[in-house]
Amino acid sequence: MTGRPTQVTEDQSTQVDPTELEELTPAVEVGEGELPRSLWRVRLRLAWQGFRKNWRLFAENKIGLAGLIIILIFAVMALAFPLLRAVGPWDNDAIYDPVIGYDAPVAELEVVPTRAEVTDPTQQIDAIDAQLWCFGALPGDTCRIPQQPAPPSEGHLLGTDPLGRDIASQLTFSTRAAFLLGLIAALVTVGIATSIGSIAAFYGGWLDNFLMRFADLILLMPLIPILIVMSGLWEINLPLLGVLIGVLNGFGGTAIVLKSQALSVKVKPFIDAARVSGGSNMHLIFRHIVPNVLPLSFLYMMFSVTEAVSLEATLSFFGLLNVDMSWGIMLNTAQSQGYLRSGFEFWWLLIPAGVAVTLLAAGFFFAGRAMDEVINPRLRAR
Amino acid sequence: MLKFIGRRLIQMTFLFFLFLTLVFFLLESQPGDITSQFLDPNIPAQVRQLIIERLGLDGSVWNRWWNYITNFVTGNLGVSFSQYPRSVFDVIVERIPRTLFLFTFATLLAYFIGFTLGKRVAWKRGGFSEHAVTIGGVLLYTVFYPWFAILMILLFGSYLDIFPINGFIDPGFWRNAPFTGNEVFSQLILSLAIAAFIVSATAILARRQEERRTARLIRAVGYPLSVIVLVGFWVIRSEMRPYALDIVHHSILPIITLALIAFAGVMLLTRSSMLETLREDYILTARAKGVPEKDIRDRHAARNALLPVVTSFVLGLAFIIGGGVVTETVFSWPGMGALLLNATVIEDVPVATGALAFIGVLALLGHLIVDILYAVLDPRIRIAGRE
């Protein structure tokens, strides 16, 4: 409520000033080549105005803001990996490679004859157990045992995994892959869903009916089982997974939502105006309907990222994807080596990857919900 | 109403065939065919040809498609590779009740928690509790499921040691049991089904009464009766009781986990649906009449907000089934989801696709049930159908 007066003044200040318009007009008169540039300036200004107005609405929602901050933190993490590898503390060091790196602090244990004589397990080991690491070791020898997984230390801020690889490096490396996957899935989803929704709304009739019944079917089918079976039949890597999720989402639920939005755009007078002035069907769909559906499409991009991130993690947790390293693989490694169910003793194997998946998915979801309130006035607080 | 259900049934059958076709083309589009994937490459070409002919793989695509559909309808899904002589149908039928048990209870629990919390959150808009519940809900909605399931196991199974960490039964306890797990489980389901039937019959009968007093009387008899029947059932079958309790004990943690994963979606939807309902004029009218706040919330707003939530079940169903696959696998609950995943991992293609098709059937059946429920709840459909 206190924001009201300032909002009004800001609106006035961002409006296109008449004097500025006069400044623009000579540019139009200079030559025909100049025309597009000045038009672009007006468009940019309008876009900036719209952005600022929407940003104010978005920023009112603290949860959405928190989501955006989470996304930004992950973006920094994604950038951190190549930076740290190039110039930072992880430079040209093979031990910090997320996939083939290996580093294990070595514990030097004294070999004693029987288990009963082991007084301090961190210093001593009995002769029979010692054979596992130092074959032929006799009582009195020292046995060097690599410690993996190793707890967090100065060299490895989040410790190492059961194969001696740095967790922090894996975590930041996987962030980039998660963003890439999310981006592919979101773009494919929205590309397909926007076109399908607009075309179905524009033409109606049997095409609409067919596309929507198909969408119903896909909506009804759980993605996880379908993707699991698909992963058994093909080798699925990250880009392919992104495309698959995008296609399934794009033909499914998202298409239905975007179609109903396109339907409400289709009956607006400016569509008739465009048709009367001789616009072809394709022109009407892609220059008039699609741009008006895009805000909602953008919202569904956010939700698509959430879905893609969790699906990838789940599938790679079960070892079904052809992926070198991802958050799901990190947990898969810990699980397959038997460290996951042993409790919080090996927390650095359990917590970072799980929290990363949950937070990134939640960040996009929160931001999407806040954006929903910007786009959909019915949800706003009174 | 019957006409409505009949029309729905026809639509469902059509969708089902469309889905089967989808599954078939999924199988078709794999690189090579099933013989190139599973036969020894050194086997003579003639033998390979014979096998291809015997499996009916030499026909045209539409021939094979027709074969697949007719075989599916007659219950012939082929033979499992991993459990060799058993037919896929047999393997799946054994697993279905366990999955249904898990899904039914998890769904009921999720919708109950989600709806109750959602309407309260919408009612007290903007408070601290709203933020806390929304954030918690979204985190549960986006949580990395297998990880969450493992955390639940660690917390309730390992540290608090209230529930068994995984499995369907405790093998040590069942060593000398006079029954098999499936026998006890079917009795368990039978007893629960009887109780559920009494409860729903009571609810429907009570709704139909014009007078409030008769309705109250029917409820006062019906609900306790279901409990009495349930208890009585297990008093009669007392020799099975400890074993049934063991199964129930194993099922609690997976059910809670699945419900927690699924309830947030319901809650968030109830909230936005409630927010829209609260803007309607009849809420203002109710306020003006002086109806108590709790009655406005529960009788005027929540009932109308319920409809979109019930419709959303179709969406939620896919979500719950997906979560169920993960839950079953992590908890080693031997249902369809675990079957699907394990079959995929060990490349038992007939079982994997068979399980996928049956999961599709499950989803369609759930959809049908919700449609019927919707017709019962929405007077526009209920009354139009009666005339």
Side-chain angles (χ1 to χ4, degrees):
Chain A
M1 263 185 241
T2 48
R4 260 289 150 81
T6 56
Q7 195 175 322
V8 173
T9 51
E10 272 175 24
D11 272 344
Q12 282 169 345
S13 68
T14 48
Q15 262 167 12
V16 184
D17 201 30
T19 51
E20 283 179 38
L21 270 180
E22 274 169 30
E23 276 173 37
L24 294 175
T25 23
V28 179
E29 285 167 358
V30 167
E32 282 182 351
E34 298 288 324
L35 177 71
R37 202 201 295 166
S38 52
L39 251 183
W40 271 112
R41 274 177 65 182
V42 175
R43 275 188 191 161
L44 267 179
R45 187 182 294 275
L46 283 173
W48 173 241
Q49 250 176 281
F51 173 75
R52 281 189 55 171
K53 199 177 135 222
N54 286 335
W55 171 253
R56 264 203 303 278
L57 282 172
F58 183 88
E60 270 176 27
N61 190 327
K62 294 288 172 287
I63 296 182
L65 222 50
L68 203 62
I69 291 170
I70 293 175
I71 297 173
L72 285 178
I73 291 174
F74 276 100
V76 169
M77 265 173 72
L79 289 178
F81 179 76
L83 268 179
L84 289 174
R85 289 285 286 172
V87 290
W90 297 347
D91 52 342
N92 63 49
D93 218 340
I95 58 172
Y96 289 107
D97 190 288
V99 184
I100 54 168
Y102 175 80
D103 185 28
V106 175
E108 296 190 351
L109 303 185
E110 187 196 346
V111 181
V112 292
T114 59
R115 193 167 274 185
E117 287 171 52
V118 177
T119 47
D120 182 4
T122 61
Q123 300 291 325
Q124 293 159 316
I125 188 168
D126 68 277
I128 294 171
D129 276 357
Q131 303 306 315
L132 289 171
W133 288 277
C134 318
F135 184 67
L138 296 171
D141 294 353
T142 22
C143 180
R144 295 162 58 86
I145 299 178
Q147 298 285 303
Q148 53 193 37
S153 61
E154 223 168 279
H156 303 283
L157 286 177
L158 284 172
T160 60
D161 80 345
L163 303 176
R165 304 177 292 187
D166 187 61
I167 296 269
S169 135
Q170 291 179 341
L171 201 67
T172 47
F173 177 77
S174 309
T175 315
R176 193 168 46 167
F179 269 106
L180 200 69
L181 172 84
L183 190 71
I184 296 175
L187 285 179
V188 175
T189 304
V190 164
I192 292 178
T194 312
S195 329
I196 294 260
S198 305
I199 288 173
F202 186 80
Y203 287 107
W206 67 268
L207 188 67
D208 175 29
N209 236 327
F210 172 75
L211 288 173
M212 288 304 113
R213 290 294 80 73
F214 191 63
D216 277 349
L217 178 71
I218 290 184
L219 192 62
L220 203 60
M221 291 309 142
L223 265 183
I224 291 183
I226 291 180
L227 285 174
I228 287 175
V229 172
M230 277 185 168
S231 73
L233 300 177
W234 291 288
E235 244 175 50
I236 298 183
N237 52 21
L238 270 190
L240 180 60
L241 179 71
V243 172
L244 279 179
I245 295 173
V247 168
L248 286 173
N249 267 343
F251 276 103
T254 318
I256 297 180
V257 182
L258 294 186
K259 184 217 148 189
S260 57
Q261 175 76 6
L263 214 51
S264 71
V265 174
K266 185 196 161 192
V267 296
K268 293 263 169 71
F270 62 80
I271 300 291
D272 286 335
R275 195 196 311 256
V276 169
S277 41
S280 69
N281 281 348
M282 282 298 128
H283 175 83
L284 288 181
I285 292 174
F286 286 101
R287 296 305 295 270
H288 293 278
I289 295 182
V290 166
N292 284 293
V293 179
L294 273 184
L296 201 65
S297 309
F298 192 62
L299 167 70
Y300 278 85
M301 278 175 88
M302 296 299 217
F303 294 140
S304 198
V305 174
T306 298
E307 193 159 4
V309 169
S310 348
L311 271 175
E312 188 276 333
T314 304
L315 291 178
S316 24
F317 174 77
F318 292 118
L320 296 169
L321 296 181
N322 181 17
V323 179
D324 285 340
M325 183 47 62
S326 77
W327 292 326
I329 297 278
M330 287 167 72
L331 278 173
N332 179 19
T333 314
Q335 156 93 335
S336 60
Q337 308 276 329
Y339 287 99
L340 219 46
R341 304 210 181 199
S342 54
F344 295 105
E345 192 189 338
F346 296 97
W347 61 267
W348 64 94
L349 300 178
L350 178 67
I351 303 295
V355 169
V357 175
T358 309
L359 273 187
L360 185 61
F364 275 102
F365 194 84
F366 282 136
R369 265 170 55 90
M371 215 178 278
D372 202 4
E373 295 197 0
V374 174
I375 295 167
N376 192 348
R378 282 179 309 173
L379 296 176
R380 272 180 225 157
R382 280 157 288 185
Chain B
M1 186 141 146
L2 273 180
K3 214 169 131 192
F4 171 81
I5 293 171
R7 210 169 52 223
R8 276 293 178 189
L9 260 176
I10 295 169
Q11 279 182 1
M12 293 285 158
T13 328
F14 177 70
L15 272 183
F16 172 66
F17 282 112
L18 210 61
F19 176 67
L20 269 191
T21 312
L22 215 69
V23 174
F24 171 76
F25 281 106
L26 209 68
L27 266 173
E28 268 304 301
S29 58
Q30 66 175 320
D33 63 23
I34 204 135
T35 54
S36 58
Q37 207 168 343
F38 291 102
L39 287 187
D40 186 343
N42 297 325
I43 155 176
Q46 280 169 317
V47 180
R48 180 186 291 274
Q49 194 54 38
L50 275 177
I51 290 173
I52 286 177
E53 274 168 29
R54 178 182 283 180
L55 291 174
L57 292 172
D58 55 339
S60 71
V61 173
W62 298 113
N63 252 331
R64 276 174 283 162
W65 173 77
W66 180 245
N67 276 342
Y68 186 80
I69 301 279
T70 44
N71 279 340
F72 192 94
V73 173
T74 52
N76 176 9
L77 293 172
V79 178
S80 163
F81 291 167
S82 56
Q83 311 179 30
Y84 173 59
R86 288 184 77 186
S87 75
V88 173
F89 190 75
D90 204 31
V91 175
I92 289 174
V93 162
E94 185 192 82
R95 302 283 186 119
I96 285 179
R98 301 174 193 164
T99 292
L100 280 182
F101 182 80
L102 188 68
F103 281 175
T104 313
F105 280 94
T107 311
L108 288 178
L109 197 62
Y111 270 72
F112 178 72
I113 304 175
F115 190 68
T116 323
L117 270 180
K119 76 181 183 196
R120 274 159 208 271
V121 166
W123 190 250
K124 288 194 177 168
R125 181 154 193 180
F128 167 76
S129 63
E130 189 200 355
H131 285 302
V133 171
T134 312
I135 292 176
V138 171
L139 281 180
L140 278 176
Y141 182 74
T142 61
V143 78
F144 184 15
Y145 324 136
W147 180 69
F148 178 68
I150 284 171
L151 286 187
M152 290 290 279
I153 292 176
L154 283 180
L155 184 63
F156 291 102
S158 304
Y159 285 98
L160 297 179
D161 204 10
I162 308 173
F163 299 114
I165 56 169
N166 62 16
F168 177 60
I169 53 172
D170 179 7
F173 178 65
W174 283 67
R175 183 170 295 162
N176 296 317
F179 319 100
T180 64
N182 282 344
E183 277 168 21
V184 177
F185 192 60
S186 56
Q187 292 295 319
L188 187 67
I189 286 187
L190 181 68
S191 67
L192 288 171
I194 294 172
F197 175 75
I198 296 174
V199 168
S200 42
T202 311
I204 291 173
L205 263 181
R207 268 189 86 95
R208 291 214 167 163
Q209 299 307 314
E210 300 288 330
E211 269 190 58
R212 273 194 155 188
R213 273 179 57 193
T214 355
R216 212 173 291 160
L217 191 72
I218 291 173
R219 289 202 183 98
V221 176
Y223 292 141
L225 185 70
S226 66
V227 178
I228 293 168
V229 168
L230 195 63
V231 172
F233 188 96
W234 289 104
V235 169
I236 296 168
R237 302 210 171 264
S238 56
E239 74 284 355
M240 266 191 191
R241 201 169 51 216
Y243 299 104
L245 279 178
D246 185 50
I247 292 179
V248 171
H249 191 206
H250 276 82
S251 71
I252 292 174
L253 198 53
I255 287 176
I256 291 177
T257 308
L258 189 51
L260 278 180
I261 288 170
F263 95 92
V266 183
M267 187 190 75
L268 296 175
L269 194 80
T270 310
R271 176 179 164 270
S272 36
S273 162
M274 260 302 258
L275 285 180
E276 274 181 38
T277 314
L278 286 178
R279 296 187 158 195
E280 299 281 348
D281 290 338
Y282 55 77
I283 301 294
L284 197 66
T285 313
R287 281 233 169 83
K289 277 196 301 190
V291 178
E293 291 281 291
K294 193 167 169 284
D295 278 7
I296 298 179
R297 187 188 72 197
D298 292 344
R299 287 171 179 255
H300 295 246
R303 276 201 191 163
N304 287 296
L306 184 63
L307 287 179
V309 178
V310 173
T311 326
S312 82
F313 181 80
V314 181
L315 284 165
L317 193 71
F319 192 82
I320 287 188
I321 290 179
V325 172
V326 175
T327 312
E328 284 184 3
T329 313
V330 175
F331 282 94
S332 308
W333 179 263
M336 296 260 289
L339 181 73
L340 176 95
L341 194 95
N342 291 334
T344 306
V345 170
I346 57 176
E347 298 202 330
D348 190 347
V349 177
V351 171
T353 48
L356 180 64
F358 265 82
I359 283 177
V361 175
L362 218 68
L364 283 169
L365 275 181
H367 193 177
L368 185 69
I369 291 172
V370 171
D371 273 338
I372 294 171
L373 204 66
Y374 196 75
V376 172
L377 280 176
D378 192 341
R380 282 167 298 187
I381 298 177
R382 188 176 66 217
I383 291 167
R386 217 183 268 170
E387 277 162 7

